[in-house]
Amino acid sequence: MQDDPGPPLRGLNFTSYMQEDDMKMGPTPQPALAPAGKASSFYRAFGLTIESDVPLPELTTAPAGSVPDIRIIYSRDLPLPSREEGVITQFRTDGTHFLAWPDVAAFQFHGPDLIEIQPYPDTPVTYLPFPLLGPIMALALHMRGYITLHASAIDLDGHGVIFVGDKLAGKSTTAAAFLRAGHRLLTDDLLAIRENPDGTLEILPAYGQLKLAEEAADAMQLAEAQPLPLVYPGFSKRQHRLMGDFRHDQLQPERLYVLDRVGDQPGLTRLAGTQALSAILRYSYITRFGKAALSPADEARHMQGCAALARCVQVATLHVPHALNRLEETVELVRADCEDHR
């Protein structure tokens, strides 16, 4: 029951996008036109319509000609750093952020609605959804004012249930156990929550796919999920795409569980007040970029959003047994907890 931690941000692998890196500032380029002959497609995810030159087969297709909230376009003019330069992250107060992973792609933001991408010449197109639907989308959602967490989430009979935890805590595996029990996946890895004008919060479902280690996939035996080829040989997790239509109806978050793999018995330890808020801040996605990604105004807004979530949900540490064959007991414990607090 393991989450792939991935290498650190300073590494060269395309999964390495999670930690703070040195800022390197430079001039802000203007958006370039997509290469001739590249047809864009329309998708739905995170409550948004996304128009993308890059194929994103993970996402639900939206009707052609939809009005996009976010556009992802190919560029020909972005700088491509060498391996020696390493990962580059430039965060600017005007929203023209620039991020680049050597041997993968460079990304130029023009506010939250337009993202340029220039892959390296030999980068397979199948690599590009990983940064696009992970850190790049997280940054775009943060710029739109959403609360973002590194989390999995499920719909448990109308309860929005969130799972966060450290590396190897088993967020995806725990979500898979709930899928096997008949519940709906809302997201795996990146969770987006929108605060409405009346102060209510809504989870914005992402797409029907989750990453599982082979051991976890063998234990879960998800009949409704199609295992996909490994991204590259030796990658520690395989993507599993859910079959059937992915539902995008939004749901209020009600429970947030911090996964703790310890002992032989499932259990719950309630967290309240500053403990609950600290848990949410710890697993915020945007903070993985480091303080450079947050201006003083952004930092205040981020704190307010996390505090709103702490007030809205019941927070607890969920003690999960190590044995994968004990996950059904964890599912029943969470079900009972949600039922007790209707």
Side-chain angles (χ1 to χ4, degrees):
M1 187 171 71
Q2 296 186 347
D3 279 340
D4 181 14
L9 181 62
R10 296 177 192 276
L12 299 177
N13 191 281
F14 71 91
T15 58
S16 60
Y17 44 67
M18 295 306 186
Q19 300 177 13
E20 181 179 4
D21 194 65
D22 296 333
M23 292 180 62
K24 299 184 180 181
M25 303 303 291
T28 302
Q30 295 303 308
L33 297 176
K38 296 288 187 180
S40 61
S41 299
F42 292 83
Y43 305 98
R44 291 181 61 202
F46 304 106
L48 303 171
T49 298
I50 301 166
E51 181 183 2
S52 177
D53 290 346
V54 178
L56 299 171
E58 299 87 346
L59 305 188
T60 303
T61 301
S66 301
V67 177
D69 300 293
I70 296 177
R71 293 175 60 221
I72 301 167
I73 65 172
Y74 279 120
S75 174
R76 297 186 294 265
D77 300 327
L78 298 184
L80 297 176
S82 66
R83 286 192 175 194
E84 290 70 27
E85 292 177 273
V87 176
I88 293 178
T89 56
Q90 301 173 0
F91 299 104
R92 302 184 177 95
T93 56
D94 64 356
T96 57
H97 310 310
F98 177 80
L99 299 91
W101 287 270
D103 298 330
V104 183
F107 302 87
Q108 176 69 57
F109 281 79
H110 300 273
D113 306 329
L114 177 61
I115 303 166
E116 286 185 275
I117 174 174
Q118 182 163 339
Y120 282 71
D122 297 326
T123 300
V125 70
T126 53
Y127 283 14
L128 301 179
F130 281 80
L132 272 173
L133 298 179
I136 298 300
M137 187 59 64
L139 187 53
L141 293 170
H142 170 77
M143 293 169 69
R144 300 180 75 89
Y146 297 168
I147 304 163
T148 57
L149 299 179
H150 183 220
S152 297
I154 56 104
D155 174 358
L156 197 161
D157 302 328
H159 300 276
V161 177
I162 300 166
F163 301 111
V164 299
D166 294 333
K167 297 172 183 178
L168 309 180
K171 297 179 288 296
S172 300
T173 305
T174 303
F178 282 86
L179 263 68
R180 185 178 60 179
H183 302 291
R184 174 172 69 113
L185 180 71
L186 299 174
T187 192
D188 182 43
D189 189 63
L190 171 58
L191 171 66
I193 298 173
R194 179 175 61 200
E195 184 172 7
N196 296 317
D198 62 0
T200 59
L201 301 180
E202 292 179 320
I203 294 174
L204 304 174
Y207 52 94
Q209 191 162 295
L210 72 167
K211 302 187 297 292
L212 294 173
E214 297 293 353
E215 180 187 8
D218 290 343
M220 293 300 103
Q221 292 293 310
L222 295 176
E224 69 276 20
Q226 175 189 6
L228 302 178
L230 288 175
V231 177
Y232 62 86
F235 195 64
S236 63
K237 282 195 171 186
R238 186 183 301 273
Q239 296 281 358
H240 292 255
R241 188 167 298 164
L242 303 186
M243 295 179 284
D245 293 334
F246 183 78
R247 288 168 49 194
H248 289 271
D249 43 312
Q250 293 142 13
L251 196 66
Q252 182 175 341
E254 297 186 23
R255 297 287 183 280
L256 187 147
Y257 296 109
V258 181
L259 300 184
D260 179 28
R261 297 177 64 220
V262 62
D264 297 323
Q265 297 295 326
L268 288 173
T269 301
R270 301 289 176 195
L271 302 176
T274 56
Q275 284 185 316
L277 178 58
S278 295
I280 292 170
L281 288 168
R282 178 176 179 177
Y283 298 107
S284 165
Y285 207 111
I286 192 64
T287 56
R288 309 182 113 207
F289 292 103
K291 287 188 174 295
L294 292 168
S295 68
D298 281 340
E299 192 166 9
R301 177 170 58 84
H302 173 251
M303 177 65 76
Q304 291 167 359
C306 291
L309 181 60
R311 291 191 298 269
C312 176
V313 300
Q314 296 275 343
V315 180
T317 299
L318 177 60
H319 307 289
V320 181
H322 287 278
L324 291 169
N325 60 7
R326 302 287 301 278
L327 273 173
E328 289 184 3
E329 299 170 46
T330 300
V331 171
E332 291 305 317
L333 176 64
V334 171
R335 280 175 168 167
D337 184 52
C338 291
E339 188 67 30
D340 286 346
H341 292 82
R342 279 190 182 273

